[in-house]
Amino acid sequence: MKNPVWLAPLAGITTPSVRLFFKSMGAGLTHTEMISCAGLAHGSRKTFSMLRMIEGEGPLVLQLFAPDEVTLFEGARRALSRSSFDAISINMACPMPKVTKKGAGSSLLERPETAAAMVRALTPLGLPVWAKTRKPPPASSMDTLSFSGMLLEAGASHVCIHGRTPAQKYGGRADRDAVVRSAKAFPGMIAASGDIFSVDDTLGLFGEGCSAVFVARGALKDPFLIPATLHRCGFPVDERLLAPELDTRLDLITSLGERMLQEEGEKTAVVLLKRLLSGMFKGFSGASRFRKALFETTDWRGMSEAFEECRSSERGELCDRREVS
Ligand SMILES: Cc1cc2nc3c(=O)[nH]c(=O)nc-3n(C[C@H](O)[C@H](O)[C@H](O)COP(=O)(O)O)c2cc1C
């Protein structure tokens, strides 16, 4: 791995174009969205389409969810017959009822034997087996430390811990101490997830022994967080990404939009671009007006016209005028 600042799996977001975009931001590794093994086992076209990758991607981790080791193995086998990945991550973290009700995601925190059997089931496939977990609920038979230790014992080569319980979903604070206790007990094997919104959040976690960080909402809020973090950690970074000029931002979003249009289609492109716009266009005069105009557009044509208009207005002069008017 080029570096330990990684893009987390994000359902509905980490499509091939988005992954390539964050790779260009410097992310050392990216993940697919979580992919249903039941969908793969049933031959669902939509599920299979989520295995697609595009040229230039990688390292790429396939994330799968399943309720048991049999379904998991079948899904993984089918996925690997279609595409190649650098590791497989088992989702033991998703708190959403549509996933947990079926026995997958974070409900596995309460079925440790099944969780361990799932890790063991994948090891014969010959790829590194990873798990993404959460802090178990207070009444569970295992705590964060013993659960992560059990997965490593079963053969996982890396475990990412999101320091929130399933009941917290994405609210409240992630329990960083719980993650760090595992990182100290299993050096080099534990990545941290949860509340990584600043360079200092990552530096603190590395300082306490975490081997990698999974940047999630922080990357959506500010895509330039990844290069800023890498720079502070001493990794080489494209200088243009450190204090990006408006022109650089426009170049990046335009090429991302064009790739999305080609790879994921216009509807997805417009939705995903809107998720990234706020973070990419802030901190210059007229930014909020510009963002508002972009949010009102419903197609790529409108968006690309707004980008070009902004570009041709001498670094946002037009945006300034819009704000004044
Ligand atoms: C929109 C969204 C989609 C997510 N999808 C996945 C997923 O597919 N697989 C997974 O393991 N975690 C998923 N997560 C959890 C994130 O990877 C991450 O663990 C979580 O957001 C905590 O990090 P943060 O507080 O820095 O955002 C998702 C989170 C969000 C907000």
Side-chain angles (χ1 to χ4, degrees):
M1 244 58 80
K2 217 168 58 178
N3 67 62
V5 179
W6 300 345
L7 181 67
L10 294 165
I13 296 172
T14 49
T15 61
S17 304
V18 171
R19 298 190 303 247
L20 198 55
F21 170 76
F22 279 105
K23 183 181 175 185
S24 76
M25 287 285 161
L29 174 152
T30 64
H31 288 81
T32 65
E33 306 172 62
M34 60 176 185
I35 297 179
S36 161
C37 286
L40 293 172
H42 290 126
S44 152
R45 273 177 63 174
K46 188 165 175 244
T47 310
F48 269 93
S49 74
M50 295 170 80
L51 297 169
R52 214 168 46 86
M53 58 181 79
I54 55 181
E55 205 178 320
E57 278 201 76
L60 175 62
V61 177
L62 166 67
Q63 199 193 56
L64 296 174
F65 69 98
D68 57 63
E69 65 275 25
V70 176
T71 317
L72 178 70
F73 180 79
E74 184 54 19
R77 196 185 62 74
R78 290 185 179 220
L80 297 183
S81 70
R82 186 64 68 92
S83 305
S84 58
F85 299 92
D86 295 283
I88 305 179
S89 158
I90 309 169
N91 184 318
M92 303 184 184
C94 180
M96 294 308 174
K98 70 174 185 190
V99 171
T100 55
K101 263 196 229 153
K102 292 185 178 150
S106 62
S107 74
L108 289 161
L109 297 171
E110 301 192 65
R111 287 171 21 247
E113 290 84 10
T114 306
M118 290 169 88
V119 171
R120 283 194 295 272
L122 292 191
T123 48
L125 292 173
L127 280 181
V129 179
W130 293 6
K132 184 159 178 284
T133 68
R134 280 186 176 239
K135 178 179 171 178
S140 298
S141 58
M142 297 185 105
D143 63 7
T144 309
L145 180 65
S146 54
F147 193 82
S148 53
M150 178 207 64
L151 296 174
L152 293 168
E153 176 85 3
S157 52
H158 203 247
V159 174
C160 172
I161 305 170
H162 176 186
R164 288 186 174 87
T165 62
Q168 281 181 282
K169 293 198 169 74
Y170 299 98
R173 292 288 303 167
D175 182 349
R176 184 169 139 161
D177 293 342
V179 179
V180 163
R181 270 194 293 279
S182 288
K184 288 190 168 144
F186 308 111
M189 316 290 261
I190 304 292
S193 173
D195 292 337
I196 296 173
F197 291 111
S198 71
V199 173
D200 286 337
D201 290 333
T202 294
L203 291 181
L205 289 159
F206 286 163
E208 303 225 59
C210 294
S211 64
V213 290
F214 280 36
V215 191
R217 287 172 296 177
L220 303 179
K221 240 177 122 193
D222 177 10
F224 300 104
L225 173 62
I226 291 180
T229 303
L230 290 168
H231 182 63
R232 280 275 294 283
C233 293
F235 291 98
V237 176
D238 179 346
E239 290 283 322
R240 290 176 317 145
L241 302 177
L242 293 176
E245 299 283 353
L246 184 55
D247 270 348
T248 304
R249 295 166 197 249
L250 288 165
D251 287 347
L252 288 166
I253 199 89
T254 305
S255 66
L256 173 62
E258 283 166 355
R259 194 178 306 114
M260 280 178 166
L261 205 59
Q262 195 182 322
E263 299 294 336
E264 282 111 24
E266 183 167 21
K267 204 169 145 206
T268 306
V270 170
V271 170
L272 289 180
L273 286 170
K274 286 185 180 178
R275 292 212 66 156
L276 292 166
L277 283 172
S278 306
M280 289 195 69
F281 295 98
K282 60 185 178 194
F284 64 91
S285 171
S288 67
R289 193 88 182 173
F290 178 54
R291 288 197 305 266
K292 189 165 176 285
L294 285 167
F295 273 105
E296 281 164 7
T297 59
T298 52
D299 57 16
W300 169 245
R301 191 163 161 222
M303 274 192 172
S304 59
E305 279 172 6
F307 296 146
E308 283 318 308
E309 214 180 319
C310 189
R311 190 194 295 280
S312 63
S313 68
E314 290 274 306
R315 300 218 168 116
E317 196 191 311
L318 177 76
C319 305
D320 292 348
R321 282 209 297 274
R322 279 183 182 173
E323 186 150 75
V324 170
S325 64

